[in-house]
Amino acid sequence: MPRSSAPLVQSHGHLATDVHAIGLGSAADQDIAAYAQTNQLAIMPRDFDFADVPNYPPDQYAGFAVISLPSSATAPTILNVVDALLRQAQTLNHLPGRLAIVEAGRIRLRPAP
C-alpha cells in the first residue's frame, strides 16, 4: 500500500497507521495481524495473504479490506479505490468480523451481511 494510504484513511475520520510507522514494515503477517487484533484495527493489504480465512478468521478481527488491483497499479489508482471504499459508510459499518475484497468499482463482503 502507498504510504499516503494512512493519511487518506485519517482524512475520512478513521484511525490509521502505516506498518512502517509502528516498526512492523518487515514483520511477518501474523505479527501484523496480532497487532491489529490487539488494537482492534482493520487491516488493508494489497495481497491476499490476509484473505486466508482458516489462518485469519475474519470474525476474530476488526475486518480485512484486501485491495485487489494489478501489481502494475499506480499509487493514485490505489488511493482512488481506497477512497471509494471509504465513501461506502454502509460497507464500512459491516466490515468488522468480515473480509472485503475491494476492486475498482466493486466491493465483495464475506460473509455477506
Side-chain angles (χ1 to χ4, degrees):
M1 292 295 288
R3 293 231 174 137
S4 50
S5 301
L8 174 62
V9 173
Q10 292 166 350
S11 76
H12 282 268
H14 304 285
L15 178 63
T17 189
D18 182 282
V19 291
H20 296 93
I22 56 172
L24 294 175
S26 60
D29 287 347
Q30 55 265 43
D31 294 333
I32 294 168
Y35 180 90
Q37 193 174 41
T38 298
N39 294 283
Q40 299 179 0
L41 299 171
I43 299 175
M44 187 183 301
R46 288 265 335 265
D47 62 56
F48 276 82
D49 293 347
F50 288 107
D52 182 356
V53 173
N55 284 325
Y56 302 104
D59 65 343
Q60 295 178 17
Y61 294 88
F64 297 99
V66 177
I67 307 301
S68 178
L69 293 170
S71 59
S72 61
T74 63
T77 299
I78 296 164
L79 294 175
N80 283 337
V81 170
V82 170
D83 187 61
L85 168 65
L86 295 168
R87 293 179 185 280
Q88 300 293 320
Q90 185 175 7
T91 299
L92 294 178
N93 289 338
H94 290 292
L95 186 59
R98 292 193 168 83
L99 165 65
I101 306 299
V102 184
E103 302 169 309
R106 181 177 177 193
I107 301 170
R108 294 175 286 150
L109 277 176
R110 301 288 184 255

